[in-house]
Amino acid sequence: MTSYGYTLMTEQSGPRELVRYAGAAERAGFDFEVMSDHYFPWLDEQGHAGYAWSMLGAVSQVTERVELMTYVTCPIVRYHPAVVAQKAATVGILSDNRFTLGLGAGENLNEHVVGHGWPPVNVRHEMLEEATIIIKALLDGGYVNFSGDHFRVDSAKLWDLPEERVQIGVAVSGAQSIETFAPLADHLVAVEPEPDLVQQWESAHGTPSRKIGQIPVCWDPDRDRAVERAHEQFRWFGGGWKVNAELPGTAGFAGATQFVRPEDVAESIPCGPDVAAIVEAVREFEEAGFTDVALVQIGDERQEEFLDVAEKELLPALRG
C-alpha cells in the first residue's frame, strides 16, 4: 500500500499557517507530512522562508498520528551535522517517534547566506557522506569523535534521544549517489518517478526501505487561475536540480525562468479541479516503485479548500 503525504512548504506560507495546515492535513487523512527546510524562497512571489525546525516542534504538538519528515535538510554548510543530529533527536522525542530525517546536498539558494561559499558538486557529495556518518553515529547514542576531510566532531553526545532511533532518508539522483548512500541511509528520497533509480537502490540497500517521492499539483476550481498560480510560484521547478542547486538567489531563478510560459508549467504539473489528473500523476511514482508520495499544493491561497477536496475526493480516489 502506498502512503500519501502532504507538503508543508515553508517557501509559500507563513509559520502560523503551516502549523494550522499540518493539523488539518492529519484530520483530512494524509499518512505523513514533509517540510521543506529553506532560508530563501525560490521566487519573490512565494514570499516566505520560516525556520523549519521551530515549526516542526509546533507541528509535533498539533498532530498525533502522521509521520513527519524534513524534505530535505542540507547538513553541510548552513548547519553542522552534529547540530542537525541534535535537532532530529529532539523532534523525534516531541513527535513520539514519528520523525524521519531527510537529508540532501542542498542548494546555493539557502546555503550561501553564511558566507562560506558554495562547493562544487563532487565536494558537496563528499561533505554529505561525512555528515551522514556523523549524524547516524550520534543518533545511535554514545560519544562520537570524527575527523574527516570536511568535518570534525570532538566528543559529541546527544543527551536526549527518542525511544526509537530516528530514521534517515537521503536524496539521490543516480548510480554514484546510490552507491554512496544506500549503505548509510534507511530510505531513498527522490523527486523523479524513475524505476531504474528504485531498482538500483533496492539492489544496493539490500533490506526493506521506503522510497519517498514528491509531486507538485495546483488544485483550484478555476483551471486558468491554477495555471496562473503554478506559473507564478513554481516555474523554477522545471529547471532540474543541476540548475536549481547552483543559482544563488531569487533574482537568479527569476532570470532563468523568464521565458517559461504558463502552458509549459501546465504540461508538467496537474492544474485545476480535475482530481483524476492528480491521481494519474501520482500513479507514475507508484508504478516506478515508490512507497510514499508527498503532494505539494502550490500557493497559499487554496490550501484549506485543497485539504477538504483531498479528504472527500482525492485520497479516496488514490486509495481506491
Side-chain angles (χ1 to χ4, degrees):
M1 292 289 291
T2 307
S3 294
Y4 301 107
Y6 173 75
T7 299
L8 299 160
M9 193 166 182
T10 60
E11 306 95 290
Q12 66 180 20
S13 298
R16 290 180 181 271
E17 289 74 23
L18 284 172
V19 173
R20 187 172 75 249
Y21 300 152
E26 180 176 75
R27 293 190 294 274
F30 281 96
D31 301 306
F32 68 101
E33 300 180 11
V34 305
M35 181 177 286
S36 56
D37 186 352
H38 271 236
Y39 202 95
F40 264 63
W42 298 97
L43 295 163
D44 286 352
E45 291 88 342
Q46 290 179 312
H48 294 277
Y51 185 52
W53 293 89
S54 296
M55 289 184 280
L56 280 167
V59 167
S60 74
Q61 302 305 293
V62 300
T63 58
E64 297 178 353
R65 173 187 54 80
V66 287
E67 299 288 325
L68 303 175
M69 181 180 181
T70 50
Y71 203 103
V72 289
T73 289
C74 175
I76 66 173
V77 178
R78 184 169 42 119
Y79 304 137
H80 190 282
V83 178
V84 172
Q86 184 187 34
K87 295 190 286 191
T90 300
V91 175
I93 292 170
L94 289 172
S95 64
D96 292 327
N97 305 302
R98 290 183 287 129
F99 180 66
T100 296
L101 175 62
L103 299 175
E107 303 92 18
N108 194 5
L109 176 71
N110 299 300
E111 308 306 313
H112 78 272
V113 296
V114 295
H116 289 174
W118 187 231
V121 64
N122 61 311
V123 175
R124 299 198 302 264
H125 287 167
E126 291 173 5
M127 296 173 74
L128 181 59
E129 181 180 7
E130 287 190 11
T132 305
I133 292 169
I134 292 166
I135 292 167
K136 185 176 180 181
L138 284 165
L139 292 173
D140 283 338
Y143 284 94
V144 173
N145 292 281
F146 183 90
S147 182
D149 293 330
H150 305 286
F151 294 108
R152 182 181 178 92
V153 176
D154 292 326
S155 190
K157 177 182 176 178
L158 299 180
W159 290 89
D160 291 279
L161 287 166
E163 293 178 359
E164 300 175 11
R165 183 180 71 81
V166 172
Q167 300 277 289
I168 297 173
V170 174
V172 298
S173 58
Q176 184 175 354
S177 57
I178 289 173
E179 181 181 357
T180 300
F181 294 106
L184 293 175
D186 301 294
H187 309 295
L188 171 148
V189 175
V191 294
E192 296 290 341
E194 298 180 7
D196 289 347
L197 202 67
V198 173
Q199 292 167 8
Q200 291 170 17
W201 173 272
E202 290 182 337
S203 177
H205 192 263
T207 58
S209 64
R210 297 166 66 189
K211 275 70 70 173
I212 307 164
Q214 186 183 61
I215 181 172
V217 304
C218 196
W219 181 90
D220 195 291
D222 182 338
R223 186 179 187 277
D224 290 342
R225 175 55 190 143
V227 173
E228 179 186 0
R229 188 169 69 247
H231 176 259
E232 176 188 72
Q233 297 202 19
F234 239 76
R235 62 187 183 273
W236 59 271
F237 187 73
W241 293 108
K242 288 185 178 180
V243 173
N244 292 348
E246 304 298 338
L247 297 177
T250 55
F253 281 94
T257 59
Q258 62 182 310
F259 300 116
V260 176
R261 302 169 302 171
E263 55 265 38
D264 299 327
V265 175
E267 286 180 6
S268 60
I269 295 174
C271 294
D274 186 6
V275 167
I278 299 175
V279 172
E280 182 180 355
V282 172
R283 293 288 184 245
E284 292 185 31
F285 280 86
E286 296 177 349
E287 291 167 2
F290 283 77
T291 60
D292 303 70
V293 185
L295 283 74
V296 182
Q297 163 65 0
I298 296 173
D300 182 72
E301 67 186 68
R302 292 287 187 181
Q303 291 294 326
E304 289 168 330
E305 294 97 326
F306 169 75
L307 290 170
D308 185 57
V309 168
E311 179 179 9
K312 295 174 180 176
E313 300 179 42
L314 178 55
L315 289 172
L318 287 168
R319 292 174 177 140

